[in-house]
Amino acid sequence: MFIQPIYNESSPEALLDFIDQNPLGIFTTGIPSDAHAHLQSSHIPWVLDRPSASSPNGPPHPAVLRGHLARANPQAKSMVDSLTSSNLLSGSELESEVMIIFNGPYHHYVPPKFYTESVSASSKVAGTWNYAAVQVYGKAKIYHDVKREETDEFLMKQLYALSDNSERKIMGFTGENGRDEPWNIDDVPRGYLNILKKAIVGIEITVDRIEGKFKMSQEKSKGDREGVARGLEGVGSDAAKHIARSVREFGERKQAAKMK
């Protein structure tokens, strides 16, 4: 991802928070194959395990992302074929690096006429698009052999965490203060759950690199940023209003950084 310095988000915590808030990521692999496409992508909801602090016995553990794919998905078939053709067991790493793209919930076009200062001073302006995205790179372990205990352990851990995150954090089903009770994997009959597990492939990615681009008109003057914010508020859609708030927020950060 091309990231101009002014749009770069360098805080690891901010990037991980973004993933927590936008867990549906686009999982992309590049695996040489005669039977499947070389480049493949799938939208997957991810569970984020944040990095742990270093311990006396070793270095800190990096961030980890856990997810799963339908076994019938050609991308899953390509990954499993790659491992089995190399006689690698379930829980083995793919040879090639993988990438996951997380996009913000909203993005919006910004027309040139919103730049109140630039338009009045010059005609050298152009429309653009404001958005936020985080990209993650790392090595992926694939849990595909349903006969192996480690595959079952990984899938159960991942499914419990995904269900809990989705029900509690996204839907707010906590069972407290009049809220609905969260749905739980334990509500699924054991026999049916075993059938479901056979139909999926587990993915565990150790994060090697993470980068984020938050493009919210930071490069513009204060007057132009205010023009963008007011213009988007006038559009009235949820997406436009969200980006307007972000333009003001990142503009305030820019001003604060100048004063340090």
Side-chain angles (χ1 to χ4, degrees), residues 238-251:
D238 288 343
K241 288 187 284 188
H242 178 92
I243 297 300
R245 288 192 297 270
S246 296
V247 167
R248 288 201 168 99
E249 175 189 343
F250 281 89

Side-chain angles (χ1 to χ4, degrees), residues 42-44 67-80 196-203:
S42 299
H43 288 75
I44 301 175
H68 67 269
L69 274 178
R71 190 175 291 272
N73 186 319
Q75 189 174 15
K77 292 180 179 180
S78 177
M79 294 189 298
V80 172
L196 292 179
K197 285 188 294 182
K198 291 178 181 179
I200 61 177
V201 170
I203 308 167

Side-chain angles (χ1 to χ4, degrees), residues 175-195:
E176 301 173 352
N177 300 319
R179 302 291 294 179
D180 289 347
E181 290 287 340
W183 177 84
N184 192 288
I185 288 293
D186 289 332
D187 297 334
V188 179
R190 186 58 53 177
Y192 182 62
L193 181 59
N194 289 335
I195 293 173

Side-chain angles (χ1 to χ4, degrees), residues 4-250:
Q4 301 91 321
I6 197 166
Y7 303 138
N8 181 56
E9 177 55 72
S10 59
S11 166
E13 282 302 309
L15 298 176
L16 294 177
D17 286 345
F18 185 89
I19 292 173
D20 258 341
Q21 295 158 10
N22 304 279
L24 186 68
I26 303 171
F27 175 56
T28 302
T29 55
I31 301 174
S33 172
D34 294 330
H36 307 286
H38 176 74
L39 291 174
Q40 298 196 63
S41 294
S42 299
H43 288 75
I44 301 175
W46 295 92
V47 174
L48 171 65
D49 296 330
R50 289 178 178 258
S52 65
S54 57
S55 65
N57 299 323
H61 294 290
V64 171
L65 288 164
R66 291 182 282 127
H68 67 269
L69 274 178
R71 190 175 291 272
N73 186 319
Q75 189 174 15
K77 292 180 179 180
S78 177
M79 294 189 298
V80 172
D81 286 353
S82 174
L83 294 175
T84 54
S85 65
S86 300
N87 295 316
L88 296 175
L89 298 174
S90 186
S92 297
E93 281 189 351
L94 294 175
E95 182 178 352
S96 302
E97 184 179 59
V98 301
M99 177 179 71
I100 310 173
I101 302 173
F102 296 92
N103 290 308
Y106 296 109
H107 50 83
H108 211 283
Y109 172 66
V110 179
K113 66 180 179 181
F114 284 177
Y115 300 137
T116 55
E117 288 186 350
S118 299
V119 169
S120 61
S122 170
S123 61
K124 296 179 180 179
V125 293
T128 190
W129 211 276
N130 279 358
Y131 63 93
V134 168
Q135 288 186 186
V136 170
Y137 306 85
K139 284 299 189 74
K141 286 185 178 180
I142 309 302
Y143 294 86
H144 60 89
D145 188 347
V146 294
K147 297 179 181 179
R148 294 184 64 85
E149 184 177 347
E150 64 177 348
T151 300
D152 186 75
E153 290 177 352
F154 174 85
L155 291 176
M156 288 304 299
K157 178 182 177 182
Q158 194 272 331
L159 290 173
Y160 269 108
L162 180 62
S163 147
D164 191 64
N165 283 355
S166 301
E167 292 284 313
R168 292 178 180 274
K169 293 173 63 176
I170 296 176
M171 298 304 300
F173 297 154
T174 61
E176 301 173 352
N177 300 319
R179 302 291 294 179
D180 289 347
E181 290 287 340
W183 177 84
N184 192 288
I185 288 293
D186 289 332
D187 297 334
V188 179
R190 186 58 53 177
Y192 182 62
L193 181 59
N194 289 335
I195 293 173
L196 292 179
K197 285 188 294 182
K198 291 178 181 179
I200 61 177
V201 170
I203 308 167
E204 181 181 51
I205 298 172
T206 300
V207 177
D208 294 329
R209 291 179 290 134
I210 182 170
E211 58 188 20
K213 182 174 183 177
F214 293 76
K215 183 177 179 295
M216 297 295 167
S217 303
Q218 300 97 311
E219 81 285 6
K220 295 298 181 181
S221 66
K222 184 176 180 180
D224 278 348
R225 292 198 305 272
E226 183 58 28
V228 170
R230 286 200 306 266
L232 290 172
E233 286 167 345
V235 172
S237 67
D238 288 343
K241 288 187 284 188
H242 178 92
I243 297 300
R245 288 192 297 270
S246 296
V247 167
R248 288 201 168 99
E249 175 189 343
F250 281 89

